[in-house]
Every structure is written in C-alpha cells, then in structure tokens.
Amino acid sequence: GQNIDQPTEMTATEGAIVQINCTYQTSGFNGLFWYQQHAGEAPTFLSYNVLDGLEEKGRFSSFLSRSKGYSYLLLKELQMKDSASYLCASMDSNYQLIWGAGTKLIIKP
Amino acid sequence: SQTIHQWPATLVQPVGSPLSLECTVEGTSNPNLYWYRQAAGRGLQLLFYSVGIGQISSEVPQNLSASRPQDRQFILSSKKLLLSDSGFYLCAWSALSDGANVLTFGAGSRLTVL
C-alpha cells in the first residue's frame, strides 16, 4: 500500500532550527512535496524534490533520499509566523499526490 | 497572474440537504482542477480531478459529484448530505504543462452537516 509518515507534532524555540522528517512508500515516485498550512487556511507550496540531495530556499531547505524513501524539511532562524502544519506529499507513478497527515509545528518564544 | 476563488467559505447544512461548492480559476487556460477533503488528523483526500471540460475522475466512492461546465470552473455537489460529509473542502489547480504538478489551493470551504 501507499503510505506517508511524519510526526504529528513538534515544538521548537524562536530563532532555533527544526527538522521535520517524512518517510514515504508509494507505487512509483515522481517527486516529493512540502506544503505549509496555517490553521484554518489553505496549504501553500514550499518545495519540490525529485533528485537526491538538498534544495535550499531562504530559511527553508528540503532534502530527499530516494533509496531510503526519506525526506526532511529544515527550517532555520524560526519565527513565530512559522507556527503551522507542514504537509509532506509524494507523487506516485500516476502523478497523483499521496499526502501525509501533517506535522503541527509549535514555536515558543 | 493566476488566482483561484472558492466559495462559500463556510457552510452549515442539515442532513439530507443539497450542496454546491464552486471554484473558479483566473489567468490560465486548461488547468488541471481538483477537489480535496481534509479531515482533522488525516492527510488530504483527493475526491475528484479534471483535466478538461466534462472530464471528471472520481477517486473515492461517495455521495458527492463534481462537474466542470467551463474550462476554469469546477463544482462539487451533493443531492443529500450525510453527517460524514462534514469537513474542510479545498479546490486546487495545477498547470497542464507543469511536470512537477505543483498545486495552488483555494481558500477552502468549511462544511458542517448537522
């Protein structure tokens, strides 16, 4: 079956660094996505990885290891506005997205 | 630039009543269109997607239906709502030419069935 696993909730301190992990098992693989979703709002696109390695985009970076079925989202210099849920999604061989349940990130001052 | 509009934002409906959620996209042609449902503590569930006018693929059997009467309009409907239909409904679009298939979501519609 197809499955995405990510932690339910994480807590971090303002100004610190946090890493949100995601493991995936999908029928085929056409890329790994991270989306940010603030409470009560729609998800917004953060990153897309299709090749192994680290993609850096400002304070956010995303890593992919296809052989391990593993990705992480790294958030640096955390700000209070980063408090949100982070959704991991894998695109399968039919180009359909399989979504994780999301990781709720709580930032404390 | 492209924008996506979804309405209504919130809806409270009695069991057995009909439903109509609308979504329109501006600034692009022939988009892929999607309806998702998000339940608390669960991943986004794809309900329907469409690659063109009148072309609808259903992912999950349910009492919901979708229609695409125009290129940039996507409608989610039900004839008789169930309690289990409560949830946060999201419309999304992606560009046909985008190999990465990045989704842009509407603001969402929160449906409560009583």
Side-chain angles (χ1 to χ4, degrees):
Chain A
Q2 307 202 93
N3 192 52
I4 306 287
D5 284 319
Q6 54 181 130
T8 303
E9 187 174 295
M10 299 181 70
T11 302
T13 304
E14 189 176 16
I17 299 173
V18 71
Q19 177 175 312
I20 303 174
N21 296 323
C22 170
T23 58
Y24 64 89
Q25 289 179 303
T26 53
S27 302
F29 179 76
N30 280 299
L32 193 291
F33 294 80
W34 285 96
Y35 284 76
Q36 180 190 59
Q37 185 177 25
H38 286 99
E41 299 182 8
T44 55
F45 170 75
L46 288 178
S47 67
Y48 169 67
N49 294 65
V50 66
L51 299 175
D52 289 350
L54 187 68
E55 296 271 350
E56 297 187 68
K57 199 183 290 186
R59 293 189 298 114
F60 292 9
S61 303
S62 55
F63 172 83
L64 176 67
S65 169
R66 288 173 296 171
S67 63
K68 295 181 179 178
Y70 167 70
S71 173
Y72 67 72
L73 182 69
L74 190 71
L75 292 75
K76 302 177 184 177
E77 301 169 17
L78 285 170
Q79 301 175 10
M80 296 304 293
K81 68 178 182 180
D82 298 329
S83 292
S85 288
Y86 292 85
L87 312 181
C88 174
S90 175
M91 188 158 57
D92 68 13
S93 56
N94 294 319
Y95 295 91
Q96 295 299 329
L97 288 173
I98 309 301
W99 294 84
T103 298
K104 183 178 180 180
L105 178 62
I106 299 168
I107 310 296
K108 295 186 175 179
Chain B
S1 63
Q2 301 90 3
T3 56
I4 178 169
H5 303 280
Q6 180 181 345
W7 71 95
T10 58
L11 203 57
V12 180
Q13 292 287 109
V15 169
S17 64
L19 171 74
S20 180
L21 301 179
E22 292 198 37
C23 175
T24 58
V25 180
E26 296 176 359
T28 188
S29 296
N30 201 21
N32 298 320
L33 295 172
Y34 307 81
W35 278 111
Y36 279 92
R37 178 166 58 200
Q38 188 174 35
R42 301 184 66 179
L44 288 170
Q45 180 186 36
L46 179 63
L47 301 175
F48 302 95
Y49 71 94
S50 172
V51 299
I53 296 174
Q55 300 179 60
I56 309 293
S57 296
S58 175
E59 291 296 306
V60 182
Q62 62 235 322
N63 71 322
L64 299 172
S65 62
S67 62
R68 185 171 178 172
Q70 300 180 47
D71 181 44
R72 290 168 290 175
Q73 183 185 25
F74 206 23
I75 298 171
L76 182 69
S77 304
S78 174
K79 292 181 179 178
K80 287 186 177 182
L81 284 168
L82 306 173
L83 285 174
S84 58
D85 291 324
S86 293
F88 191 47
Y89 289 82
L90 290 157
C91 180
W93 77 273
S94 66
L96 195 63
S97 58
D98 181 3
N101 205 31
V102 174
L103 296 179
T104 301
F105 288 88
S109 299
R110 188 163 300 282
L111 171 65
T112 303
V113 182
L114 302 175

